[in-house]
Amino acid sequence: MATDILTSQLQSPIDVAEYLFRRLHEVGVRSVHGVPGDYNLVALDYVPKAGLNWVGNVNELNAGYAADGYARVKGISAIVTTFGVGELSAINAIAGAFSEYVPVVHIVGTPSTLSQRDGMLLHHTLGNGNFNVFADMNRDISCAMAKLNDPHEAAALIDNAIRECWLQSRPVYITLPTDMVQKKIEGERLKTPIDLTFPTNDVEREDYVVATVLKYLHAAKNPVILIDACAVRHKVLDEVHELVLKSKLPTFVAPMGKGAVDETLPNYGGVYAGNGSNEGVAERVESSDLILTVGAIKSDFNTSGFTYRISQLSTIDFHSSIVKVKYSEYPGIMMKGVLRKIIDQIGELQVMPGPRANNEVPKEEQDWSKTQIISQAWFWPRVGQWLEDNDIVITETGTSNFGIWETRFPKGVTSISQTLWGSIGYTVGACQGAALAAKETGNRRTILFVGDGSFQLTCQELSTMIRQKLNPIIFVICNEGFTIERFIHGWDATYNDIAEWKFKDLMAVFGADPKKSKTFQVRTKEEVHNLFEDREFSSAPYIQFVELYMAKEDAPRSLKLVAEAAAKTNAKQ
């Protein structure tokens, strides 16, 4: 067993738990998500001591989703669970954060080091004396692990885990045994902030890559820019914005890259997703002789079923740890430094204008006298007209996520979805975390679009939003079940059906003050229009809940394409 550090040897003694939470506060965390359990209770006493707010979620899965949403707005987050039952409840959400490059610090309260050493038959274990089994499960979905079993190592392990979480933009896993919570360690380290600076490239290699990129860029006749999710995750948005402005090149985003660029710019052209692209976008991108991709994630849903038609011979890919110039690869060269030098040296380029994104409702949908039914084709451009600068827009995997491709955002919008991991119900928890982060950073509007089936999986998090006095606007799209699954397989199958809930009544069930909340039921285009024109509603003064009814058989065009491709992929023998 590790020996304690004598207090007389410490200049500024501090308990391990307080050191951990103060480090989290230092990197920008202000609220900690999670669920209490007997192995983490004493540690939770230190949350307010470090100037942090304890959120208190209704279950660990929702807490994990909430931590994910919080991190996408604030830059990093933290969740505390208890050994075994708690951490495994959260593991789906942590895996999603790993998949989508979201920095979440996962702290697990564990049995004491003495209990672990003796292999005691404790609750929340498998009864076999193996106390490493759950950590092993988390190993492949964490970019760093810190087992705080020795006070001599605790501070260094904490600092390293938080640093790796920030730099790699992925979850880390920290275990805190009950007998380590109050161990004394050196607090003088807190006077030196954790070094969060990104490592720099070798200058000679970086300059060579920059020169190579500029050679092809200056020779190109009609180059374009394509921005994707890892531009957001790996913190190069400042460079992206400058590149788009200075180059004046037609710029597009992949679905996971929505919100990564200012969509009001004249050279913003819309969403490129192969066959699911906005009108005129696929033709422009695929006819380009040079495509600069930044942070690409070429997954099935992000490419409308792998329908990209882009040759690697006409592509330069910028990633967090590699740059690919056509078929030449430069591993270990990080995009941040390369992009900065390209911006500084770019000069004049040949620019061929591209399509302009807009929020125009399709002509066939403009005449309300023909039908008042709220269609997907009508609704999403109308949402784009209603959105405001700096909104946070959260869309569930399904009709909402695919529908938002047809929306041109105002300036400064943050878009949150889970296109790669795609866990049903993710967005309800993520909305709580995002709304809380928004409250901490200036109370930006937080708007959730979620299907009725997905909402039923995680609806309890509505309770946490009410408890934390958050003011999101929640749209539950009522279209009788799991629409995306219907389009993939089993259109009339009962497994794609759900119970018919009175959704808006849940606000009262979960304790919402009727004077500080409001619910709506919307079934026609006119009712949508009137709601969007309601200034009080749009000002988001408190939590608001909207039941929005759409036809069961209706779906965005891009969803139908992706569902068809997914069905074909699933059926391959």
Side-chain angles (χ1 to χ4, degrees), residues 36 62 214 271 299 302 311 348 350 383 391 449 457 508 555:
N62 284 1
L214 288 173
V271 172
S299 68
N302 206 34
S311 170
E348 291 295 321
Q350 298 188 61
V383 167
D391 280 344
F449 297 97
L457 270 74

Side-chain angles (χ1 to χ4, degrees), residues 170-291:
R170 273 182 156 161
V172 294
Y173 179 85
I174 299 175
T175 59
L176 182 57
T178 55
D179 60 339
M180 282 291 297
V181 170
Q182 295 175 311
K183 296 292 187 186
K184 301 295 183 184
I185 59 175
E186 183 56 75
E188 282 294 300
R189 290 178 64 108
L190 292 172
K191 293 181 179 179
T192 304
I194 299 173
D195 182 8
L196 300 179
T197 56
F198 288 87
T200 57
N201 295 321
D202 176 81
V203 175
E204 189 174 22
R205 293 184 68 213
E206 180 179 81
D207 287 344
Y208 177 79
V209 173
V210 170
T212 304
V213 172
L214 288 173
K215 178 184 70 174
Y216 288 116
L217 190 53
H218 288 137
K221 303 297 183 184
N222 61 338
V224 300
I225 298 171
L226 177 61
I227 307 300
D228 210 339
C230 281
V232 181
R233 308 293 190 268
H234 294 292
K235 303 172 177 66
V236 295
L237 287 188
D238 289 343
E239 288 79 8
V240 164
H241 293 323
E242 288 189 52
L243 178 65
V244 172
L245 284 170
K246 194 168 184 180
S247 71
K248 299 181 176 63
L249 293 176
T251 298
F252 307 90
V253 296
M256 290 179 70
K258 279 286 288 180
V261 301
D262 180 358
E263 299 187 7
T264 66
L265 291 173
N267 51 329
Y268 173 71
V271 172
Y272 176 70
N275 291 345
S277 303
N278 294 159
E279 184 177 354
V281 170
E283 296 82 354
R284 180 66 183 87
V285 172
E286 292 165 5
S287 65
S288 172
D289 60 348
L290 187 66
I291 303 161

Side-chain angles (χ1 to χ4, degrees), residues 125-150:
T125 72
L126 298 179
N128 60 3
N130 184 350
F131 287 87
N132 293 315
V133 61
F134 307 126
D136 291 341
M137 292 179 184
N138 278 278
R139 190 174 303 280
D140 288 339
I141 55 171
S142 306
C143 70
M145 302 188 76
K147 294 184 177 182
L148 307 184
N149 296 331
D150 185 341

Side-chain angles (χ1 to χ4, degrees), residues 205-482:
R205 293 184 68 213
E206 180 179 81
D207 287 344
Y208 177 79
V209 173
V210 170
T212 304
V213 172
L214 288 173
K215 178 184 70 174
Y216 288 116
L217 190 53
H218 288 137
K221 303 297 183 184
N222 61 338
V224 300
I225 298 171
L226 177 61
I227 307 300
D228 210 339
C230 281
V232 181
R233 308 293 190 268
H234 294 292
K235 303 172 177 66
V236 295
L237 287 188
D238 289 343
E239 288 79 8
V240 164
H241 293 323
E242 288 189 52
L243 178 65
V244 172
L245 284 170
K246 194 168 184 180
S247 71
K248 299 181 176 63
L249 293 176
T251 298
F252 307 90
V253 296
M256 290 179 70
K258 279 286 288 180
V261 301
D262 180 358
E263 299 187 7
T264 66
L265 291 173
N267 51 329
Y268 173 71
V271 172
Y272 176 70
N275 291 345
S277 303
N278 294 159
E279 184 177 354
V281 170
E283 296 82 354
R284 180 66 183 87
V285 172
E286 292 165 5
S287 65
S288 172
D289 60 348
L290 187 66
I291 303 161
L292 306 182
T293 75
V294 183
I297 298 179
K298 297 177 184 178
S299 68
D300 50 355
F301 282 14
N302 206 34
T303 62
S304 292
F306 304 112
T307 56
Y308 270 25
R309 286 176 291 273
I310 299 175
S311 170
Q312 189 61 41
L313 278 173
S314 59
T315 303
I316 297 177
D317 296 311
F318 299 93
H319 292 282
S320 59
S321 60
I322 190 172
V323 175
K324 300 178 182 179
V325 182
K326 302 192 174 185
Y327 281 105
S328 298
E329 296 188 357
Y330 302 94
I333 297 296
M334 291 161 285
M335 61 180 167
K336 194 174 187 71
V338 173
L339 289 171
R340 172 52 54 198
K341 287 186 176 179
I342 289 172
I343 293 164
D344 294 340
Q345 302 173 34
I346 196 167
E348 291 295 321
L349 302 175
Q350 298 188 61
V351 178
M352 288 183 59
R356 293 284 299 275
N358 61 65
N359 284 317
E360 293 180 7
V361 173
K363 291 181 180 178
E364 62 272 18
E365 296 283 344
Q366 291 177 358
D367 187 356
W368 295 2
S369 63
K370 293 181 179 179
T371 177
Q372 278 286 327
I373 296 173
I374 304 167
S375 66
Q376 300 279 346
W378 177 87
F379 181 69
W380 295 107
R382 186 65 186 88
V383 167
Q385 298 169 17
W386 171 69
L387 292 177
E388 299 176 359
D389 289 359
N390 303 313
D391 280 344
I392 299 170
V393 179
I394 307 165
T395 51
E396 178 70 37
T397 302
T399 55
S400 301
N401 190 25
F402 290 96
I404 208 70
W405 298 7
E406 304 300 327
T407 298
R408 183 185 65 78
F409 287 157
K411 188 174 183 178
V413 167
T414 297
S415 178
I416 297 176
S417 64
Q418 205 185 47
T419 303
L420 179 55
W421 186 245
S423 186
I424 295 177
Y426 156 81
T427 56
V428 183
C431 177
Q432 183 266 296
L436 182 56
K439 182 178 179 181
E440 294 174 2
T441 56
N443 217 27
R444 300 159 62 187
R445 285 200 317 181
T446 304
I447 303 159
L448 168 63
F449 297 97
V450 59
D452 48 8
S454 297
F455 182 78
Q456 288 192 2
L457 270 74
T458 48
C459 62
Q460 311 98 312
E461 212 51 37
L462 188 62
S463 170
T464 311
M465 299 181 210
I466 294 167
R467 180 185 179 196
Q468 291 289 328
K469 296 180 173 57
L470 305 178
N471 59 344
I473 300 174
I474 300 170
F475 292 86
V476 174
I477 298 174
C478 301
N479 55 2
E480 301 180 50
F482 299 115

Side-chain angles (χ1 to χ4, degrees), residues 37-41 43 81-84 87 107-113 115-116 122 131 134-135 146-149 173-181:
D38 62 329
Y39 294 131
N40 65 30
L41 292 177
T81 63
T82 197
F83 182 74
E87 59 181 308
I107 303 161
V108 180
T110 70
S112 71
T113 57
S115 298
Q116 294 186 49
L122 298 178
F131 287 87
F134 307 126
K147 294 184 177 182
L148 307 184
N149 296 331
Y173 179 85
I174 299 175
T175 59
L176 182 57
T178 55
D179 60 339
M180 282 291 297
V181 170

